[in-house]
């Protein structure tokens, strides 16, 4: 299966279990791997047979910067469901949602949730 990868997309959202996270917000990063057959797109040099990166970015942005959720799992699930619904030729989608500098005890660079969904 061919892959399109969008790496380290950056957003500002209001997700988290703590009240301060939903009031103040924080940075989030998203990595995507989109799996589909790209042979027709490559052969015909046709975006309609591929996936528009700008549209993908806008969809992810709307979710991450949209309605606050407590869990990264909930945000990640919304992204995978939206992308699979939007692109019928997309066979598998892997989303990694990264929360840099999480407000939890200890010293962490980040925490993340990775989710893969297929047709």
């Amino acid at each position: 299966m061919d892959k399109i990868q969008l790496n380290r997309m950056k957003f500002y959202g209001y997700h988290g279990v703590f009240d301060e996270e939903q009031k103040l917000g924080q940075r989030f990063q998203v990595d995507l791997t989109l799996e589909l057959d790209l042979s027709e797109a490559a052969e015909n040099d046709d975006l309609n047979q591929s996936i528009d990166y700008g549209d993908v970015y806008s969809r992810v942005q709307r979710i991450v910067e949209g309605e606050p959720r407590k869990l990264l799992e909930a945000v990640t699930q919304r992204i995978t469901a939206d992308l699979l619904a939007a692109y019928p030729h997309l066979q598998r989608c892997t989303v990694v949602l990264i929360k840099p500098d999480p407000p939890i005890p200890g010293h962490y660079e980040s925490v993340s949730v990775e989710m893969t969904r297929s047709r």
Side-chain angles (χ1 to χ4, degrees):
M1 190 65 56
D2 303 315
K3 296 179 183 180
I4 294 174
Q5 296 177 313
L6 289 83
N7 303 305
R8 295 294 191 252
M9 295 181 288
K10 297 179 192 284
F11 306 102
Y12 199 86
Y14 295 85
H15 312 290
V17 175
F18 302 116
D19 290 339
E20 295 80 21
E21 293 178 288
Q22 293 203 359
K23 286 180 194 169
L24 301 174
Q26 58 200 308
R27 297 173 303 122
F28 291 90
Q29 297 175 5
V30 177
D31 291 340
L32 291 180
T33 301
L34 309 175
E35 296 183 47
L36 65 158
D37 182 355
L38 294 171
S39 58
E40 295 286 326
E43 182 68 30
N44 299 315
D45 197 22
D46 184 1
L47 179 58
N48 292 320
Q49 296 172 323
S50 185
I51 293 179
D52 182 336
Y53 313 150
D55 186 59
V56 171
Y57 180 91
S58 295
R59 289 177 167 284
V60 175
Q61 180 180 33
R62 186 171 56 249
I63 293 167
V64 177
E65 294 182 356
E67 180 182 352
R69 300 290 182 167
K70 290 181 182 175
L71 299 180
L72 296 180
E73 293 86 340
V75 180
T76 306
Q77 175 67 34
R78 289 187 68 206
I79 294 169
T80 58
D82 181 80
L83 294 175
L84 285 167
Y87 306 110
H89 52 297
L90 179 59
Q91 295 301 306
R92 184 187 323 219
C93 176
T94 299
V95 176
V96 181
L97 178 61
I98 303 159
K99 181 190 269 192
D101 305 313
I104 53 179
H107 298 283
Y108 300 88
E109 181 177 307
S110 66
V111 295
S112 64
V113 170
E114 179 174 330
M115 193 174 288
T116 301
R117 297 291 181 264
S118 302
R119 290 202 188 281

